[in-house]
Amino acid sequence: MNKESTTMEKSKLIGRIRMILILLLGAAFYLYCFKNFLEVNIFGTRWKFAVFTVFYFLLIACFIYRTRSDRFRFPTTRSGYKILYLLIAPAAALVIEEVIWNENVLHIAPAYLLLNYGIFLLLELIFLGVTANIRIARFLIHLCGVIYGLVNHYVLLYRGNPLLPSDILAANTAAEVAGGYTYDLSNSIIVGIYGFLICCLLLSCFPALKEKKTTYKMRIAGLAGAAILIFGMSYGTLNTQFFDQLSIHVSGWNPTESYKKYGAPVSFTSLIQDSYVRKPEGYSEDKVEELLDSYEESEEKTSGDEKKDIQPNVLVIMNESLADLSIFGEIGAENYLSRIQNTEGYVQKGYIYTSVYGGGTCNSEFEFLTGNSMSNFNTGVYPYMQYSMDGVFNMAQVFNDLGYETIAFHPYNKANWNREKVYSGFQFQQFVGMEDLDDVDRIRWCASDSYDYRQVIRMFENKTAPLFLFNVTMQNHGGYAENFEKQVPLVEAGEPLTKYREAWNYLTLVNESDKAFEELISYFSKTDEPVMIVMFGDHQPTLDTEFLKETLGEINDLGTLQKRQVTPYVIWTNYRSEEECKEKDLSLNYLSAEMLDQLGLHSEYTDYLLELEKNVPVVNSIGYQTADGSWHYHTENNEFLDTYRQIQYYQLFGR
């Protein structure tokens, strides 16, 4: 067999393999579409789905025909046409990406579309430099468009925002919990994928350029060009105020609307630029130190505080997605949090205002453990993932200095949210995670709160000194579509809750948390050693948009918006009388200072926070509340918060 015959046979074999792959992948995707049509009613009517079926299989037939024939190729090999398509490809990728998730794509201003196109074009040129193949570069940019669109769609669906830069840093954590969600198709996804397939078909119709063999020098030049583009994009993003000069600002309280207005690539890049930490205006390390020194604890204050004569064990429970949805109005369920709400022996309770919604647990950890606020960062920042926490003031450090045994506990993977490194930097003496546990009792795929609290009790019983324990639970984590009635009965419900199964499932989980907390309090109320328990929810869950509209109503002011940031908290002890209890609402960054104050403990920073709280009782990433009860956006300057911003910069970066 001569060389030409061998080449032809090899070409036929490759063609057959391609045809088989097209048939298998095409059939699999169609069956998935059919399943979604039956279950979630994509397309709405049978005739629309029938039209989709006809055109879909016509497209598949075109792909198969292209694998077996040289017909339907564009009748030119001129480089100019190839370069023209190279320039058109980023525009097609942008349209595919935005169509999949952004229903307002047609309303993006031309100037913003051009900026988004420029980002996709630069990315395509990087692919070209790396691969030295114009066809591969065009395919990769189309693939990026469809993947980025799908990611934005599902992150928006389950987190309430499209993809933020900090989500990339948390990719491992996201991958761990991804199995708890469902990935139904939508009409926009079908349109986007169909557009991607058409682009791939058109791409296959271009004949291969008869180029000279790529030399070593050409490859080096291509890679060097790609490296220059990457460096230029990185430098321009981190070291210029390009988007500020164009008045492009992604909203902190509603980044989704900004993404829809500016387009995802521009918004995402703008947030990368905003994540770069700059010194606050007028910052002076000496002035900050002088201010903190004014809060230095005096001997008279310490000795006169009777609370400090007791050194209780301190157990902090940050309960995953624990929220009281009754603050929205009538939801059709009662008593699902009755045990926590009616806990006897509490010394302080109320609601806290968090900076995150639907996810971002580590930012709530950061606010509680350090007393710092996410309001002093730009949108989309996760300090655990982006900044060093070594030496930063935190609660573990405070209790270490008092001779406590300090333990962090989370019944899931230790690597999530970079916790191993962060907790080490915070100087926790021990970190207990899923890897250290056996025979875990689960509700759905998560460790139950009841199991979690039994581990807390075990650590308390095995301590060698007064214990400070920081526990992040897992039971109520997002992904509420799965039915688990065989494990626990659904909480009693009426209208409107019964219309929204995910919300009903969620409140069932909350009710299980309520029962478990009662068991925990029952145990420690009988112990002889003094114990303080601080329990709070880290953020609200992401629930059905229609459920929120029906219960919360339209969000047309900051006060209503802040209701989505509210979770309950309680500080309980087994050694103080109920006469000392108080009810107080505050933001999460103040809670650890309130805890120390209840213990009779003080530090310069926490005493400053307690003073700040008198003037600004609530401050989070959404806005702030002043002492007169009025709400304000962060666009309104506040001298107290200006000082707070400088002190926080000193705590994190200025030392």
Side-chain angles (χ1 to χ4, degrees):
M1 184 179 293
N2 57 36
K3 185 176 180 180
E4 184 177 350
S5 299
T6 303
T7 303
M8 289 181 62
E9 288 297 323
K10 184 178 179 181
S11 178
K12 289 181 180 179
L13 177 61
I14 293 174
R16 293 191 187 100
I17 293 174
R18 285 178 179 171
M19 184 176 65
I20 292 171
L21 286 175
I22 290 170
L23 285 171
L24 291 176
L25 293 175
F29 181 69
Y30 179 78
L31 290 174
Y32 192 57
C33 290
F34 185 66
K35 174 178 177 291
N36 277 260
F37 170 69
L38 295 177
E39 294 180 353
V40 297
N41 201 31
I42 58 173
F43 296 106
T45 60
R46 292 182 179 180
W47 74 265
K48 289 182 180 179
F49 186 74
V51 171
F52 160 75
T53 300
V54 171
F55 279 97
Y56 179 76
F57 281 106
L58 180 61
L59 184 63
I60 296 298
C62 289
F63 269 107
I64 294 173
Y65 188 80
R66 279 291 304 113
T67 65
R68 301 181 61 83
S69 173
D70 283 335
R71 298 182 65 181
F72 293 117
R73 285 191 184 276
F74 294 127
T76 181
T77 59
R78 292 180 182 177
S79 299
Y81 290 95
K82 300 281 180 124
I83 293 173
L84 178 62
Y85 190 69
L86 184 75
L87 297 176
I88 293 174
L94 173 62
V95 171
I96 290 168
E97 178 266 320
E98 291 292 321
V99 162
I100 287 176
W101 76 274
N102 185 359
E103 69 275 14
N104 294 329
V105 60
L106 296 178
H107 300 289
I108 300 176
Y112 301 141
L113 286 174
L114 186 61
L115 286 172
N116 284 285
Y117 168 79
I119 292 172
F120 268 106
L121 178 60
L122 288 172
L123 187 59
E124 184 185 34
L125 293 176
I126 290 172
F127 291 148
L128 180 59
V130 171
T131 64
N133 188 306
I134 196 169
R135 179 177 292 184
I136 293 177
R138 292 181 308 208
F139 171 75
L140 288 177
I141 201 63
H142 290 316
L143 186 64
C144 282
V146 73
I147 291 176
Y148 188 30
L150 289 170
V151 169
N152 278 329
H153 174 87
Y154 288 114
V155 173
L156 174 61
L157 182 64
Y158 291 116
R159 290 283 303 277
N161 294 316
L163 185 73
L164 304 177
S166 45
D167 294 329
I168 302 297
L169 298 171
N172 288 339
T173 301
E176 290 288 345
V177 300
Y181 297 95
T182 57
Y183 299 94
D184 295 325
L185 297 176
S186 67
N187 291 346
S188 62
I189 289 178
I190 298 295
V191 171
I193 292 178
Y194 207 86
F196 168 71
L197 293 175
I198 290 175
C199 286
C200 290
L201 181 61
L202 292 174
L203 182 60
S204 71
C205 292
F206 280 95
L209 280 173
K210 296 180 180 179
E211 300 171 345
K212 296 179 181 179
K213 183 178 180 181
T214 304
T215 64
Y216 177 75
K217 290 183 179 179
M218 291 173 63
R219 294 291 296 117
I220 294 296
L223 291 172
I228 291 171
L229 282 174
I230 293 171
F231 174 79
M233 291 176 67
S234 302
Y235 183 85
T237 300
L238 298 178
N239 295 279
T240 71
Q241 295 298 309
F242 178 73
F243 292 105
D244 283 347
Q245 294 169 3
L246 296 174
S247 298
I248 294 174
H249 300 284
V250 177
S251 168
W253 67 270
N254 194 353
T256 301
E257 289 305 311
S258 297
Y259 267 63
K260 291 179 179 179
K261 177 181 178 181
Y262 302 125
V266 163
S267 300
F268 185 88
T269 308
S270 175
L271 287 176
I272 293 176
Q273 186 176 83
D274 287 344
S275 68
Y276 183 74
V277 178
R278 297 173 177 83
K279 287 184 180 180
E281 186 177 348
Y283 173 78
S284 167
E285 185 175 320
D286 291 338
K287 288 182 180 179
V288 171
E289 290 178 348
E290 182 180 350
L291 176 60
L292 289 175
D293 286 344
S294 67
Y295 290 93
E296 187 174 1
E297 181 181 7
S298 67
E299 290 295 327
E300 181 179 349
K301 181 178 180 180
T302 302
S303 59
D305 200 330
E306 296 179 359
K307 297 176 186 176
K308 198 168 182 179
D309 295 337
I310 302 174
Q311 196 175 37
N313 301 276
V314 180
L315 312 177
V316 179
I317 300 165
M318 190 174 82
N319 198 299
E320 172 66 41
S321 300
L322 184 78
D324 179 6
L325 301 187
S326 66
I327 61 169
F328 294 167
E330 179 56 46
I331 62 172
E334 298 178 356
N335 301 322
Y336 56 89
L337 267 178
S338 59
R339 299 165 184 84
I340 292 174
Q341 291 168 335
N342 300 318
T343 297
E344 296 182 355
Y346 74 89
V347 295
Q348 186 171 325
K349 72 175 182 178
Y351 291 107
I352 56 170
Y353 290 79
T354 68
S355 286
V356 294
Y357 173 80
T361 296
C362 67
N363 283 355
S364 290
E365 288 185 41
F366 170 78
E367 289 195 320
F368 175 82
L369 288 171
T370 69
N372 296 317
S373 173
M374 293 306 302
S375 67
N376 294 322
F377 294 108
N378 291 309
T379 306
V381 171
Y382 292 150
Y384 271 25
M385 308 295 294
Q386 292 166 259
Y387 311 124
S388 171
M389 295 290 108
D390 293 356
V392 172
F393 173 85
N394 68 89
M395 290 299 104
Q397 183 186 85
V398 169
F399 285 97
N400 279 332
D401 292 343
L402 294 170
Y404 276 67
E405 180 179 351
T406 56
I407 300 176
F409 168 46
H410 177 52
Y412 207 59
N413 294 337
K414 290 182 177 181
N416 287 357
W417 293 124
N418 200 30
R419 284 191 177 101
E420 282 188 293
K421 185 176 181 180
V422 170
Y423 288 164
S424 174
F426 281 164
Q427 299 176 17
F428 276 100
Q429 296 166 19
Q430 185 181 1
F431 177 25
V432 179
M434 180 65 76
E435 299 87 337
D436 307 305
L437 305 174
D438 297 315
D439 301 322
V440 178
D441 293 337
R442 302 177 188 273
I443 297 179
R444 304 178 301 152
W445 50 279
C446 303
S448 69
D449 278 5
S450 179
Y451 172 84
D452 181 289
Y453 296 159
R454 292 200 298 272
Q455 305 314 304
V456 169
I457 292 170
R458 179 181 61 80
M459 294 175 204
F460 169 78
E461 293 174 342
N462 294 327
K463 62 184 173 57
T464 57
L467 177 64
F468 171 71
L469 184 142
F470 180 68
N471 170 213
V472 181
T473 70
M474 194 65 189
Q475 175 188 287
N476 303 335
H477 197 283
Y480 309 113
E482 175 187 352
N483 293 328
F484 47 91
E485 294 174 71
K486 292 182 179 179
Q487 290 181 284
V488 293
L490 288 170
V491 69
E492 292 185 11
E495 295 285 349
L497 185 62
T498 50
K499 296 190 295 184
Y500 303 99
R501 186 54 186 266
E502 288 193 16
W504 196 358
N505 285 344
Y506 166 72
L507 288 185
T508 298
L509 293 172
V510 170
N511 190 45
E512 293 303 307
S513 293
D514 195 46
K515 295 175 185 176
F517 188 72
E518 182 181 45
E519 295 171 0
L520 184 73
I521 294 297
S522 176
Y523 172 86
F524 282 107
S525 64
K526 300 171 185 175
T527 59
D528 295 329
E529 292 188 54
V531 175
M532 171 180 282
I533 295 177
V534 181
M535 194 279 295
F536 63 96
D538 64 341
H539 56 70
Q540 289 188 16
T542 301
L543 295 176
D544 189 283
T545 303
E546 293 303 316
F547 172 76
L548 294 176
K549 285 182 178 180
E550 184 165 349
T551 55
L552 181 59
E554 293 296 328
I555 299 175
N556 48 26
D557 61 83
L558 184 56
T560 304
L561 179 65
Q562 286 282 7
K563 289 185 178 182
R564 293 177 59 175
Q565 308 300 126
V566 173
T567 65
Y569 82 94
V570 59
I571 302 176
W572 176 91
T573 72
N574 64 357
Y575 59 89
R576 299 260 293 280
S577 69
E578 290 187 51
E579 296 175 0
E580 299 176 273
C581 70
K582 62 180 178 179
E583 296 190 14
K584 186 178 186 180
D585 297 344
L586 61 149
S587 50
L588 183 51
N589 58 307
Y590 298 129
L591 185 57
S592 55
E594 292 278 356
M595 175 188 74
L596 292 185
D597 190 51
Q598 289 287 353
L599 292 166
L601 301 174
H602 302 274
S603 75
E604 296 173 355
Y605 189 39
T606 56
D607 281 356
Y608 161 76
L609 289 173
L610 293 174
E611 188 67 27
L612 174 64
E613 186 186 359
K614 295 176 183 177
N615 297 289
V616 188
V618 174
V619 55
N620 59 14
S621 60
I622 309 301
Y624 64 94
Q625 185 186 56
T626 47
D628 61 1
S630 60
W631 289 103
H632 305 267
Y633 292 103
H634 285 296
T635 51
E636 302 177 57
N637 291 329
N638 181 284
E639 61 177 326
F640 298 107
L641 295 183
D642 288 342
T643 302
Y644 186 24
R645 193 171 298 112
Q646 294 193 31
I647 293 177
Q648 179 167 316
Y649 182 88
Y650 172 80
Q651 294 283 358
L652 292 170
F653 311 109
R655 291 175 180 270

